[in-house]
Amino acid sequence: MGEKAVPSPRRRRVKRSCPSCGPEPGGEERKGRGNPISVQLFPPELVEHIISFLPVRDVVALGQTCHYFHEVCDAEGVWRRICRRLSPRLREQGSGVRPWKRAAILNYTKGLYFQAFGGRRRCLSKSVAPLLAHGYRRFLPTKDHVFILDYAGTLFFLKNALVSSTLGQIQWKRACRYVVLCRGAKDFASDPRCDTVYRKYLYVLATREQPGMVGTTGSRACDCVEVYLQSSGQRVFKMTFHHSMSFKQIVLVGQETQRALLLLTEEGKIYSLVVNETQLDQPRSYTIQLALRKVSRCLPHLRVACMASNQSSTLYITDQGGVYFEVHTPGVYRDLFGTLQAFDPLDQQMPLALSLPAKILFCALGYNHLGLVDEFGRIFMQGNNRYGQLGTGDKMDRGEPTQVHYLQRPIALWCGLNHSLVLSQSSDFSKELLGCGCGAGGRLPGWPKGSASFVKLHVKVPLCACSLCSTRECLYMLSSHDIEHHPTYRDLPASRVVGTPEPSLGPGASQDPGGTARACEEYLSQIHSCPTLQDRMEKMKEIVGWMPLMAAQKDFFWEALDMLQRAAAGVGPGPPNPES
């Protein structure tokens, strides 16, 4: 009974705050509760091991609390353990400055989401996630299925199938099963038309080991193009190139009987070859000539960085941000440029240079209209505007790139047959999807009548969405975050910002150089010309989309206008739509 009581180890506390921040407040009053233990007393390997069991979101949040936890949570050892937990079958960490952190975040954020336009359920669904996939790099929906390429060069075949639901009902589900189509893939493409019905074949640019010549040992890696049936995944054709030629991108252009394959080399040169798709399933050999494209023959100094194509035209973006065009039919040429003056039907491969004010980073090419995004995050639209697919607020065609002033710094841009989509990010880092053009068939959710300006669509966008695609039946969004590859926009110089007064303006000069007052007068005249109150409400919604407001402000005005519109129609307010 005279012995001293030894404090139990369970009563010892671990100090939560950063050890470098000084003593814990109230420490003098808490002496009776036991001495706190600093986190720094634990071995670093043990701390990293404990933190690696946290969800990725919590690891990132913990790293923002103090300098000590920032260094611990940012260590490659933590991300190596997280990556092994997320992808146990991943053998290599990949490439980059931070390979394990990049690999872990790629696999944590990967996902393919889709929303069907028809049917009763119009909500966002997620496809099956292949366990072997190392992030998602590209995807392409075809007539019956979806194909996804990961960062390890593995191409996955996501199948639509009949499955049994939890209630025992048989239902048709999209992208619910997967198989590995091939490995070593660099890029892939199919029929460039927006309608997936025409996408019968899948062309895969891949690297394969070829046996050496007679009398030599070993093998060589050669690039090849393999053609698969999209319905079954069966390979029906293969063409192999010389080992000295290395390609990085493939696009298709033209009709089925004269399908042109454009191949972009690592050096920025364009090669082309022509195949007849109607004869690909016949078991026989072909002799195909690979030729240098005219854009690389006539302009040998140009180094092409990427390509985009549709059935009748091809667009090239150089490493310096220049844009060159090939247009192969007079109808599309007239829609894009408003004239046939420079069109030569005998020389359709002659590249046409577009006049642009800054370096172009990426683009989107529809059937007869296109969108460009420059280094300052500005969006330029050009072409046919019959349905308002250019987002300029009217339905007048544009024969040259025209800036859409109320949209900036998009994450992704997509142009379809007669509508356009923009994936953007608001100030609170949430994503939203904007669309314009024809709204028939539900292709602009929430705007069945369409819109001549970009309006917010009633779609719940994933937090890490990075690309999108729309078909006749469905809207697809790819989720993936690569910490080393994201568009970095420059700040526009003050002298080039619309509405910024020039320093040389005198006291009697106009105080509205951006034309804001004139634009508001035009908006009022458009509202006044609407015959009914409902039409005026719809026009006001469009005008809110045109105006350079913050995302939260636009949402407020759109929701307020919806409430007023329902009240005017005699409909109760009801609960707000969660999808909006």
Side-chain angles (χ1 to χ4, degrees), residues 64 77 108 113 131 142 146 165 169 196 199 270 279 282 287 293 300 307 312 375 378 470 484 510:
Q64 297 174 350
Y108 176 74
Y113 300 83
L131 296 177
T142 59
V146 181
S165 65
Q169 300 176 348
T196 56
R199 297 175 184 174
I270 308 292
Q279 300 177 356
Q282 300 178 9
T287 300
R293 198 72 172 178
M307 305 180 292
S312 305
E375 58 184 331
R378 297 176 297 182
S470 179
E484 296 183 1
S510 172

Side-chain angles (χ1 to χ4, degrees), residues 73-361:
C73 294
D74 201 43
E76 278 291 278
V78 172
W79 291 106
R80 183 180 67 252
R81 293 184 177 92
I82 293 175
C83 189
R84 292 284 172 82
R85 176 167 53 86
L86 292 175
S87 304
R89 301 184 182 182
L90 185 65
R91 298 179 181 179
E92 298 180 0
Q93 73 272 27
S95 60
V97 180
R98 303 292 308 280
W100 285 114
K101 183 176 182 180
R102 177 175 181 244
I105 293 179
L106 280 175
N107 289 281
Y108 176 74
T109 58
K110 69 181 180 183
L112 178 64
Y113 300 83
F114 58 89
Q115 178 170 324
F117 294 140
R120 297 180 179 179
R121 294 186 61 189
R122 297 188 180 182
C123 59
L124 203 65
S125 303
K126 187 177 182 180
S127 71
V128 63
L131 296 177
L132 298 174
H134 178 36
Y136 291 164
R137 194 174 78 183
R138 269 202 63 204
F139 79 102
L140 179 69
T142 59
K143 179 181 177 182
D144 303 309
H145 309 291
V146 181
F147 295 86
I148 292 183
L149 178 65
D150 73 351
Y151 281 83
T154 305
L155 187 59
F156 293 91
F157 181 17
L158 274 61
K159 297 183 177 182
N160 303 336
L162 289 171
V163 296
S164 177
S165 65
T166 55
L167 301 178
Q169 300 176 348
I170 302 298
Q171 59 182 359
W172 180 260
K173 290 193 67 176
R174 295 177 182 269
C176 60
R177 296 176 182 174
Y178 75 91
V179 295
V180 175
L181 184 69
C182 67
R183 302 182 187 274
K186 292 183 174 182
D187 195 18
F188 63 102
S190 187
D191 190 293
R193 283 173 283 192
C194 298
D195 196 342
T196 56
V197 174
Y198 299 104
R199 297 175 184 174
K200 181 180 179 182
Y201 294 101
L202 189 76
Y203 294 76
V204 180
L205 175 64
T207 301
R208 298 285 181 261
E209 291 291 333
Q210 299 295 329
M213 299 177 61
V214 179
T216 61
T217 59
S219 59
R220 288 178 172 176
C222 299
D223 283 358
C224 65
V225 172
E226 298 175 340
V227 185
Y228 295 84
L229 278 172
Q230 69 85 29
S231 57
S232 62
Q234 177 187 359
R235 195 181 76 182
V236 297
F237 189 68
K238 179 180 179 180
M239 60 189 87
T240 305
F241 306 107
H242 193 266
H243 63 85
S244 63
M245 305 192 71
S246 179
F247 302 101
K248 64 178 183 178
Q249 187 184 2
I250 179 174
V251 298
L252 308 183
V253 66
Q255 300 283 347
E256 290 86 348
T257 56
Q258 289 289 321
R259 182 75 74 197
L261 280 66
L262 305 186
L263 298 163
L264 175 61
T265 67
E266 298 288 349
E267 295 78 22
K269 302 298 181 183
I270 308 292
Y271 286 85
S272 65
L273 57 91
V274 179
V275 297
N276 187 350
E277 275 192 1
T278 60
Q279 300 177 356
L280 287 179
D281 54 355
Q282 300 178 9
R284 64 187 186 123
S285 300
Y286 295 85
T287 300
I288 299 175
Q289 182 179 4
L290 185 67
L292 195 64
R293 198 72 172 178
K294 191 163 188 176
V295 64
S296 295
R297 292 201 319 266
C298 297
L299 303 171
H301 61 283
L302 291 182
R303 184 184 177 94
V304 178
C306 62
M307 305 180 292
S309 70
N310 61 23
Q311 185 182 3
S312 305
S313 58
T314 310
L315 188 145
Y316 308 107
I317 299 180
T318 68
D319 59 345
Q320 300 298 320
V323 178
Y324 291 84
F325 230 133
E326 284 183 18
V327 185
H328 306 148
T329 59
V332 174
Y333 190 97
R334 185 188 296 109
D335 286 337
L336 288 172
F337 297 100
T339 179
L340 288 175
Q341 184 176 0
F343 180 75
D344 187 359
L346 302 178
D347 191 8
Q348 299 176 358
Q349 291 188 16
M350 176 58 68
L352 305 171
L354 292 185
S355 177
L356 294 158
K359 177 181 178 180
I360 296 300
L361 298 184

